[in-house]
Amino acid sequence: MLAFLGAIICIIASVHPAGSAAPAAAAPAADNDSAAAALLPAADKGLGALHGPAEALASAGPRLPGGPQPPLFSRFVCTPLSAECPATGTGPGPSTGPGPEELLALRSAAAQLRRTALEQKERIRMDQETIRELTGKLSRCEGGLRNPPAAAPPAAGLRAAPRPGTMGHPPAEPPAVRELEEAVRALQDRIDRIEQELPARTNGSSPTAPALARDALHTKMEQLEEQLLSKILTLQKERQAANTDRSQQQHNIEKELNSLQNRVTELEHGPPGYSPPDAFKVTIPVQNNYMYARMKKSLPELYAFTICMWLKSKALAGLGTPFSYSVPTQSNEIVLLEWGTNPLELLINDKVAQLPLSLKDKAWHHVCVAWTTRDGKWSAYQDGEQRGAGENLASWHAIKPQGVIILGQEQDTLGGRFDATQAFVGELAQFNVWDHMLAPAEILGLANCTSHLQGNVIQWDDQAVEVFGGASKAGFAACEEGRKA
């Protein structure tokens, strides 16, 4: 620490030399030197360690008033001690001067000491000014208590003029000072008035003509946009209402046309006579994947069945699919199919039996297929005659319930995904289902119209059959059509 302070004193000595300076610079140098001397610690070594004995006594003695003053420090000597002004700061040895880094640090410390001294001096000056001002105010207050002032108080924001004869002020002010105070007071009043009127002017000021025109145009555009949006919404609502009305009108027109067409047909054929509910046929005119008929009723669980129908094929190649029954777990639960060059087949639970039937002459034929789960026995009839029989067709399998019966299409999924190449083209009638195998005599009576036996599971009824995709219904008398054929 002592070495550090010694280095600082050395730098101060090099910057501010004493004794040979001019008198004008003697006072600042004395202030700096006294501040630096005050910072020195009262250590073992006295002033003689840094200066000569004569200089130390001269600086320690009192200053005599008047006459030449002895110099505070006649010269600055940095005694080469072991711990003072080191060359490297690492120990004793010949002094070669401080290094660059230590010199920079010492200069920074010296500058900091100068700034601290100046700040302290400025603070003392400000404190003196404050003391003088407070003393003046106290004197004015004391004078005001003895002689109350009759003049009006000074304007806000300006310091009151001191009374003549008070402590710290001259007994009277020059006229120029009073005129300056009046001018400053008048200027302060004008500034106050402008500040008070400025908000009112700002609030009451009117925008320029371009700004007014721009705001009016913007408002007009917003109004037009709102009107346009309102018109668009109104038009959309009107269009939706018109579409709904058009659809309803089209439906009503089609309904009226159908009614008129039926009435014309009745007038052309004379008064209608009694027509049983089974006296109709389903016509599928084109081979595609969207024309078909659907039975509204499904099958229960069956352990045997007989399915009979009248059909007339118009296909050029295979017969197609006269009917198919599909359940959720099996799309080919019961299917009668002739596809491509394959023979007519009966599928039960996706098991196949080929039927020796010939139905491609474009004439009406009565067809029946019968099956029982016991040993999987089956038989096929055409026009009342048995043409084929066999066993082991889905033996001991029970027909699953709650499926879908489609006439004219083969189902790849429950009630859908039809294939146009497997579609039936022609006419169908009298589709009936029994839950047992009919006797050959019963099947013969149905084929030659001597019996009118109806199915006990599915009956051919106009209310039980729906047509889709262009398939149609028409009147049909099975026995008369059969005779014509």
Side-chain angles (χ1 to χ4, degrees):
M1 181 65 182
L2 186 60
F4 178 69
L5 292 176
I8 291 175
I9 298 304
C10 291
I11 293 173
I12 293 174
S14 64
V15 176
H16 298 280
S20 62
D31 292 340
N32 291 336
D33 295 336
S34 60
L39 294 174
L40 291 175
D44 296 336
K45 295 178 175 52
L47 294 175
L50 298 175
H51 312 284
E55 288 81 0
L57 293 175
S59 62
R63 295 178 182 269
L64 299 177
Q69 298 292 336
L72 179 62
F73 297 102
S74 61
R75 67 169 177 232
F76 293 86
V77 179
C78 293
T79 305
L81 301 177
S82 60
E84 293 177 334
C85 296
T88 60
T90 57
S95 176
T96 61
E101 296 181 357
E102 293 182 359
L103 183 60
L104 181 60
L106 294 174
R107 287 179 179 177
S108 300
Q112 182 65 28
L113 288 173
R114 292 193 198 98
R115 286 196 295 270
T116 303
L118 292 176
E119 289 175 359
Q120 293 294 332
K121 184 177 180 180
E122 180 65 21
R123 186 173 300 171
I124 292 171
R125 186 185 64 77
M126 292 176 62
D127 291 343
Q128 290 176 353
E129 291 289 337
T130 303
I131 292 171
R132 284 195 296 269
E133 183 177 357
L134 293 176
T135 304
K137 289 182 179 181
L138 180 60
S139 299
R140 287 195 297 272
C141 290
E142 291 176 352
L145 290 176
R146 290 191 298 268
N147 299 317
L158 295 177
R159 182 179 297 176
R163 292 176 57 85
T166 56
M167 183 175 59
H169 294 274
E173 292 182 350
V177 175
R178 289 196 298 272
E179 291 177 1
L180 181 60
E181 288 183 355
E182 292 294 333
V184 171
R185 189 177 298 108
L187 183 60
Q188 180 68 29
D189 294 340
R190 292 180 61 185
I191 292 173
D192 292 340
R193 285 196 301 271
I194 293 173
E195 289 179 350
Q196 292 176 1
E197 294 175 359
L198 185 60
R201 292 181 181 179
T202 304
N203 295 334
S205 61
S206 60
T208 60
L212 284 174
R214 184 171 59 255
D215 294 342
L217 181 60
H218 184 67
T219 304
K220 189 66 175 177
M221 290 178 62
E222 289 182 350
Q223 293 176 356
L224 291 176
E225 288 179 357
E226 292 178 358
Q227 294 176 5
L228 182 60
L229 181 59
S230 176
K231 284 289 185 183
I232 291 173
L233 294 176
T234 304
L235 289 176
Q236 289 180 350
K237 291 180 181 179
E238 291 178 355
R239 182 179 298 174
Q240 292 176 358
N243 292 336
T244 304
D245 294 342
R246 189 180 299 111
S247 301
Q248 185 65 30
Q249 290 175 1
Q250 184 176 0
H251 177 72
N252 294 336
I253 291 172
E254 291 178 355
K255 185 177 180 180
E256 292 293 333
L257 288 176
N258 292 333
S259 177
L260 290 174
Q261 185 177 2
N262 294 334
R263 181 60 177 165
V264 170
T265 303
E266 292 176 0
L267 292 174
E268 287 177 351
H269 293 84
Y274 172 73
S275 167
D278 61 342
F280 73 98
K281 62 181 178 181
V282 173
T283 302
I284 302 176
V286 182
Q287 188 178 30
N288 52 43
N289 62 350
Y290 55 86
M291 289 186 180
Y292 63 96
R294 176 171 176 165
M295 305 299 296
K296 293 182 180 180
K297 190 176 180 180
S298 183
L299 297 179
E301 187 177 30
L302 298 176
Y303 299 94
F305 65 79
T306 300
I307 300 175
C308 295
M309 71 186 75
W310 284 89
L311 61 84
K312 180 181 179 180
S313 174
K314 296 182 180 180
L316 299 177
L319 182 68
T321 307
F323 76 90
S324 63
Y325 175 69
S326 176
V327 295
T329 58
Q330 177 58 265
S331 59
N332 295 325
E333 189 70 3
I334 305 175
V335 181
L336 183 63
L337 169 66
E338 187 180 46
W339 179 35
T341 59
N342 298 323
L344 186 65
E345 298 174 341
L346 175 64
L347 283 73
I348 298 178
N349 192 28
D350 216 15
K351 306 299 187 295
V352 181
Q354 296 182 352
L355 308 182
L357 304 181
S358 178
L359 306 171
K360 299 179 183 179
D361 55 358
K362 300 181 181 180
W364 282 103
H365 294 281
H366 188 264
V367 177
C368 289
V369 289
W371 171 87
T372 179
T373 187
R374 184 176 181 179
D375 296 329
K377 293 182 180 181
W378 61 271
S379 57
Y381 297 82
Q382 180 177 335
D383 297 329
E385 297 180 4
Q386 182 174 331
R387 298 290 183 90
E391 295 182 353
N392 300 321
L393 177 59
S395 302
W396 313 108
H397 172 72
I399 302 300
K400 298 180 179 64
Q402 305 302 321
V404 177
I405 300 175
I406 298 293
L407 304 179
Q409 296 285 352
E410 193 272 333
Q411 307 174 61
D412 287 336
T413 59
L414 183 65
R417 210 169 83 183
F418 306 138
D419 186 353
T421 61
Q422 299 175 344
F424 173 79
V425 182
E427 298 172 318
L428 291 168
Q430 295 295 326
F431 182 85
N432 289 276
V433 181
W434 292 263
D435 60 358
H436 57 277
M437 296 183 71
L438 293 180
E442 294 175 322
I443 294 175
L444 181 60
L446 292 172
N448 59 22
C449 297
T450 58
S451 172
H452 296 282
L453 184 64
Q454 295 289 324
N456 65 344
V457 177
I458 298 292
Q459 300 84 30
W460 184 250
D461 192 316
D462 185 28
Q463 301 297 323
V465 180
E466 296 178 300
V467 291
F468 299 91
S472 61
K473 296 180 183 179
F476 176 73
C479 295
E480 294 179 2
E481 293 289 340
R483 294 190 189 99
K484 291 179 183 178

